[in-house]
Amino acid sequence: MNDSTVTLDSADAPQVAVNEPIISIDDLSFSYDLGDTNTLRNISLDIPAGKVTAFIGPSGCGKSTLLRCLNRMNDLVDTAKVTNGKISILGQDINAPDVDAIELRKHVGMVFQKYNPFPKSIYENVAYGLRVQGIKNKSVLDQAVEESLQKSALWTEVKDRLGTSALGLSGGQQQRLCIARTIAVKPQIVLMDEPCSALDPIATARIEELITELRQDFTIAIVTHNMQQATRVSDQTAFFYLGKLIEYDDTEVIFGNPKERQTEDYISGRFG
């Protein structure tokens, strides 16, 4: 990563070499309330570029909260606040006063647990973010829509009905459309919050294949309740419990030879 500070509102944000930290979380504590209760406590980890990092742990352990901290989605909660530490993306403290959350989200896209296509055509769903950025040239939009649908493994299924409502697609197709919509604006980082939890096994397998392909172009952080899914799609895995990061290592180490007893107990099904 460059030594100089990078501004996230730059139109040509720098690329980070594969395996180099693109996200650095340093002693982060975070609270949703006005008291002293921290949902996250003293979290520190680096997320490498060009890899898939999985967040695992029992419900309520803070993994989705941390994911939402990475693109400041928690700003939408009035009482939410970082109480300690910082998150740096592309060398920039993302909670610094001069960082605009909307600009940040151009570099850090998000796919939610429940697929949420807009009540628009398939084409307009994918083109939406580009139009918001002021892109009006039809040939540019056409190319971006096709490329994004290709990358999301949806093009061959929808290319003859781009003008029809996205709400007519199956659940799995709608989630892939949401992925296409996210990557159309070419973020460097894609966050996925349990993207398969509302899908059947066949649709889940398609999304998992897609995640494996997308790591060639994007850094991905995924929250998953499915430990088998973490082993299939991720390079690194972070295990959280009660708001703390218990262990973070290569996925094969976490699931094959964990160093912490709590990690071993969780992945072996003793609790969770």
Side-chain angles (χ1 to χ4, degrees):
M1 187 177 295
N2 296 339
D3 292 332
S4 58
T5 299
V6 175
T7 55
L8 286 168
D9 59 358
S10 164
D12 52 350
Q15 298 295 315
V16 179
V18 172
N19 285 325
E20 290 297 312
I22 190 170
I23 301 172
S24 292
I25 304 168
D26 182 21
D27 200 27
L28 181 75
S29 295
F30 175 87
S31 175
Y32 279 119
D33 61 46
L34 297 174
D36 297 324
T37 303
N38 282 321
T39 303
L40 299 174
R41 293 180 284 166
N42 307 109
I43 305 291
S44 293
L45 74 157
D46 288 337
I47 295 178
K51 299 292 183 180
V52 179
T53 299
F55 295 170
I56 65 169
S59 296
C61 69
K63 54 190 185 293
S64 289
T65 294
L66 180 60
L67 196 77
R68 291 187 175 95
C69 285
L70 299 181
N71 69 344
R72 289 178 48 181
M73 286 295 294
N74 290 319
D75 286 11
L76 302 174
V77 181
D78 290 340
T79 56
K81 60 186 181 298
V82 172
T83 59
N84 187 69
K86 72 175 184 177
I87 300 171
S88 298
I89 294 180
L90 295 168
Q92 171 71 58
D93 178 355
I94 67 170
N95 291 296
D98 59 341
V99 173
D100 182 77
I102 294 174
E103 293 295 333
L104 168 66
R105 292 172 194 143
K106 292 180 182 178
H107 301 280
V108 188
M110 190 160 190
V111 177
F112 295 93
Q113 180 175 359
K114 176 64 177 173
Y115 40 86
N116 58 343
F118 301 139
K120 298 174 178 286
S121 70
I122 294 168
Y123 182 100
E124 289 300 331
N125 263 270
V126 182
Y128 179 82
L130 298 166
R131 292 194 188 279
V132 169
Q133 292 182 8
I135 298 172
K136 299 178 181 178
N137 185 297
K138 188 175 186 304
S139 63
V140 172
L141 292 173
D142 287 350
Q143 182 177 354
V145 168
E146 180 174 348
E147 287 180 356
S148 301
L149 289 170
Q150 290 273 17
K151 286 183 177 179
S152 62
L154 193 56
W155 175 251
T156 56
E157 298 170 41
V158 303
K159 63 181 180 180
D160 296 324
R161 49 176 174 146
L162 296 177
T164 63
S165 173
L167 302 181
L169 298 173
S170 69
Q173 288 174 324
Q174 288 189 35
Q175 188 65 299
R176 279 183 283 147
L177 179 66
C178 292
I179 292 172
R181 185 178 67 196
T182 299
I183 65 177
V185 296
K186 297 186 177 178
Q188 292 199 38
I189 299 161
V190 176
L191 310 177
M192 297 185 171
D193 191 3
E194 299 198 31
C196 302
S197 64
L199 303 179
D200 62 47
I202 294 175
T204 294
R206 295 293 300 275
I207 298 293
E208 289 182 2
E209 291 170 4
L210 179 55
I211 291 169
T212 300
E213 294 169 7
L214 289 175
R215 89 174 89 195
Q216 300 174 31
D217 300 301
F218 305 95
T219 300
I220 297 173
I222 178 173
V223 167
T224 177
H225 66 282
N226 185 325
M227 286 182 285
Q228 288 73 32
Q229 182 172 83
T231 64
R232 289 191 294 264
V233 304
S234 70
D235 302 290
Q236 284 78 31
T237 296
F239 168 58
F240 297 88
Y241 184 62
L242 296 178
K244 289 187 175 182
L245 175 63
I246 305 301
E247 189 168 352
Y248 177 50
D249 211 324
D250 291 344
T251 296
E252 60 185 22
V253 173
I254 292 293
F255 287 95
N257 188 28
K259 299 178 180 65
E260 301 296 330
R261 178 63 183 269
Q262 280 178 303
T263 311
E264 183 177 357
D265 286 348
Y266 179 71
I267 64 175
S268 64
R270 293 190 180 97
F271 74 94

